[in-house]
Amino acid sequence: MLLVCLIWGINFSVVKSALGAMPALAFTALRFLLSSGVLWLILRWQTGRVAFPKGSVWQLVVLGILGNTIYQAAFTVGLAHTSATNSALIISTVPSVVVALGALLGIERPTRRMVIGVVLGTAGVALVIAAKGVSFDRSTLTGDLLSVAALFCWAGYTLGVRRLPKEITPLEVTALTTFTGTPGLVLAGLPDLLKLRWTAMPLAVWGSMAYASVLSLGVAYVIWNTSIQRVGSSRTAIYMCVTPIVATVAAWVILGEHPVPLQGVGAALIFAGVVLSRRERVPYSRSTISL
């Protein structure tokens, strides 16, 4: 999961550097098409076939649309209508929402240590992001609401994966939900794709595309889904608090955005929250990363 935080934290700067040359929806559509192709080849190589498990087809379709189509569209369009800081602060509350919804729906019962860990982690994220300056007003309302919608979509996806049969491997979950989420994103990005000047795209954009497709969508999603199966939704979601720290350091190195001292205090709270949440013993369930 720390590897996931590293991949996703760097991904913010990688994608941001590419969006100056390619429209956001076109970039998202292409990265999902590429990721779908790679996952199809790997799944075919690993299992010898690509098929939806009987009895779980609609679950996987809904999760693909919720966690990929709607989430990615809401996040991307929302980011275009609000500040990156506002969006990051909203999305970073995923651990709190997962714990609350999991308890409300009876999927997972949070312990006192888990609740304290999530509160510490979320407070740390708030400090890391708020240090850059947060401003909620009428001009950002549309983007902020779309970011909230994206937040609940990802929380729903995380809890939904927890409810899937254990026989479905993390690789299958990742691949099949990517397949079902891709068509909607391609349709959303089609107008921009038709206008795209392919030969004018810098080589760096295709490098960003490869990173965002193979690592951010492929490798990271498989590990994320594996962690959900092994230790649960709440203990997996808490790691999203670490991502802003990596994103801040990556932006410093890649984009030249300098961090401030208050973000160090936030980082300490985040690490304390993650360590507290993951120290509890949890039942181990057999599951392998097949990528």
Side-chain angles (χ1 to χ4, degrees), residues 129-146:
I129 297 174
K132 298 180 180 179
V134 181
S135 176
F136 292 100
D137 53 43
R138 185 174 298 178
S139 64
T140 66
L141 182 61
T142 300
D144 295 335
L145 290 176
L146 285 170

Side-chain angles (χ1 to χ4, degrees), residues 4 8 10 25 30 33-34 38 46 54 74 88 92 105-106 114 125 129 139 149 151 158 175 202 213 250-251 267 283:
V4 171
W8 283 349
I10 295 174
L25 288 177
L30 284 176
L33 279 172
L34 177 58
V38 171
Q46 288 279 322
K54 292 182 179 180
S92 68
L105 299 174
M114 170 57 65
V125 169
I129 297 174
S139 64
L151 158 70
T158 300
S213 303

Side-chain angles (χ1 to χ4, degrees), residues 150-279:
L151 158 70
F152 279 96
C153 284
W154 187 251
Y157 171 85
T158 300
L159 291 169
V161 170
R162 178 67 165 166
R163 301 293 295 272
L164 288 171
K166 296 294 184 182
E167 293 74 22
I168 306 177
T169 68
L171 175 59
E172 289 177 315
V173 173
T174 304
L176 297 176
T177 55
T178 299
F179 299 160
T180 57
T182 296
L185 291 170
V186 172
L187 286 175
L190 190 59
D192 287 333
L193 287 172
L194 293 175
K195 300 175 186 176
L196 205 60
R197 295 176 58 192
W198 300 90
T199 56
M201 290 295 108
L203 186 61
V205 171
W206 301 116
S208 297
M209 179 73 68
Y211 182 98
S213 303
V214 178
L215 292 179
S216 184
L217 283 180
V219 175
Y221 268 51
V222 171
I223 299 173
W224 177 272
N225 293 330
T226 300
S227 182
I228 292 173
Q229 288 193 358
R230 289 190 175 186
V231 300
S233 306
S234 300
R235 291 181 179 86
T236 298
I238 186 67
Y239 276 93
M240 286 201 75
C241 292
V242 179
T243 302
I245 300 176
V246 180
T248 299
V249 175
W252 181 18
V253 175
I254 299 173
L255 303 176
E257 298 179 4
H258 295 280
V260 298
L262 186 59
Q263 291 175 317
V265 179
L269 287 176
I270 290 170
F271 281 121
V274 171
V275 170
L276 186 64
S277 300
R278 289 301 296 259
R279 282 185 62 188

Side-chain angles (χ1 to χ4, degrees), residues 31 35 37 109 133 159 264:
R31 72 185 283 226
S35 183
R109 181 178 296 177
L159 291 169

Side-chain angles (χ1 to χ4, degrees), residues 89-118:
L89 184 59
I90 292 169
I91 298 298
S92 68
T93 61
V94 162
S96 301
V97 174
V98 168
V99 170
L101 286 179
L104 185 65
L105 299 174
I107 297 174
E108 289 184 357
R109 181 178 296 177
T111 63
R112 181 181 300 178
R113 180 176 289 178
M114 170 57 65
V115 172
I116 295 173
V118 168

